[in-house]
Amino acid sequence: MSQFLLVLVSGVASGAVYGLIGLGLVIIYRATDVVNFAMASLATLGLYVAVSLRDQGVATVLGIVAAVTITVVAGLLVRETVIRPLGQGQLFSALVVTMGVSLVVENVASSIWGDEPKSFPNLVNGTVSWSGAALPVQSLVTIAVAAVAMAVVGYLFARTTLGSAMRAVAENAETARVVGLGAQRLARIAWALGLGLAALAACLYAPRSGLVPTALVAPLFRAFAGIFLGGLTSMYGAVVGGLTVGVLDNLAANYASASLRDTFVFSFSVLVLLIRPQGIFGTRTFQRV
């Protein structure tokens, strides 16, 4: 039972990271119709800056703030220079462009910092004993920080004027523009919010994974599995899907085979999508043909 509890907490911590990344992806997608494949690489760039600052003696918390800031600024530059000129409705073109940006950023990080793995510090160290299991405090902090971030985002979209405006733009950008909402300004805010969540997730994930230019590729694809499982346009679905993927991933690795963890997770996702193509929380749409 203690082993199961440890696996479960670890899975929830992993799922919280995937949920944060997925939430960022959904926010950007709903606001601008862009599936941002470059998000993970931009967050990794922020992590390298944080590690460099740590090597200079800067506190870890300040390094995390710097990582989030660098990720957001770099992401907004990418949007203004290579995504926005494409225009609205260019889903496939934007997807290819973000994939290209991701490869460029990974190569830049490799050229500057090298390919050797680097360590990223824990926010906290030690363990807590609960029901006979020694639970890492870092995992508990990861869950708590992610929960607070998700709650703040939920409050923003549900209870504030800014959130209502962002939801209106997500529903219909043209109509929102007609009634006086600044679609481009709201799109920039959505990109900044989504990238900030990805950078925070990266800072929570890096202490146990180590840091290489492609460190966040696996979490990104598991986050994609989570958002398709939960529903591509649903923020709640992104969180629930990410948590589901994280728990299933850890259960499969510990009780089946570590080499089959992705096979198990993606097979489960495919099975759910065959039964409910729009995802658990997604909305079915109909189109005249």
Side-chain angles (χ1 to χ4, degrees):
M1 187 63 191
S2 62
Q3 175 67 17
F4 176 76
L5 182 60
L6 181 61
V7 171
L8 184 61
V9 170
S10 178
V12 173
S14 297
V17 170
Y18 307 152
L20 281 177
I21 297 175
L23 185 58
L25 288 167
V26 169
I27 289 172
I28 291 176
Y29 175 73
R30 290 191 60 181
T32 60
D33 286 332
V34 174
V35 180
N36 189 4
F37 261 99
M39 177 182 286
S41 297
L42 293 169
T44 303
L45 184 65
L47 289 178
Y48 273 110
V49 172
V51 168
S52 298
L53 291 175
R54 180 204 62 182
D55 294 341
Q56 299 298 320
V58 177
T60 300
V61 173
L62 294 179
I64 291 174
V65 172
V68 173
T69 303
I70 290 295
T71 302
V72 170
V73 171
L76 290 176
L77 286 175
V78 167
R79 179 186 181 272
E80 295 300 318
T81 56
V82 299
I83 299 297
R84 185 178 175 184
L86 294 175
Q88 291 290 328
Q90 301 297 320
L91 177 61
F92 181 74
S93 297
L95 176 64
V96 173
V97 168
T98 59
M99 293 175 69
V101 169
S102 177
L103 294 175
V104 170
V105 173
E106 288 175 8
N107 286 328
V108 169
S110 178
S111 300
I112 297 175
W113 288 283
D115 295 321
E116 292 297 319
K118 299 180 182 296
S119 63
F120 193 87
N122 285 323
L123 295 177
V124 289
N125 294 306
T127 59
V128 173
S129 181
W130 186 24
S131 298
L135 306 178
V137 179
Q138 173 69 23
S139 294
L140 299 177
V141 169
T142 296
I143 296 170
V145 171
V148 170
M150 293 171 183
V152 169
V153 171
Y155 179 84
L156 171 68
F157 277 89
R159 301 290 184 179
T160 67
T161 303
L162 176 61
S164 298
M166 292 176 70
R167 284 190 285 113
V169 171
E171 292 297 330
N172 192 315
E174 290 299 325
T175 303
R177 188 179 298 111
V178 169
V179 299
L181 296 177
Q184 291 299 328
R185 180 179 67 88
L186 293 173
R188 293 187 191 100
I189 294 173
W191 269 68
L193 181 59
L195 289 160
L197 290 173
L200 178 62
C203 293
L204 296 172
Y205 179 79
R208 59 176 178 173
S209 69
L211 181 57
V212 294
T214 57
L216 294 179
V217 171
L220 177 67
F221 279 98
R222 288 170 187 152
F224 271 114
I227 62 177
F228 283 112
L229 183 64
L232 181 59
T233 59
S234 171
M235 290 187 287
Y236 295 108
V239 173
V240 173
L243 290 171
T244 302
V245 167
V247 171
L248 290 177
D249 181 63
N250 275 264
L251 289 174
N254 283 272
Y255 294 107
S257 171
S259 62
L260 296 176
R261 59 197 305 175
D262 287 334
T263 301
F264 184 81
V265 167
F266 284 95
S267 296
F268 177 79
S269 299
V270 169
L271 179 61
V272 171
L273 292 175
L274 287 174
I275 299 172
R276 188 174 172 81
Q278 69 271 31
I280 298 173
F281 294 93
T283 302
R284 176 175 290 184
T285 59
F286 298 91
Q287 186 175 15
R288 185 184 297 273
V289 297

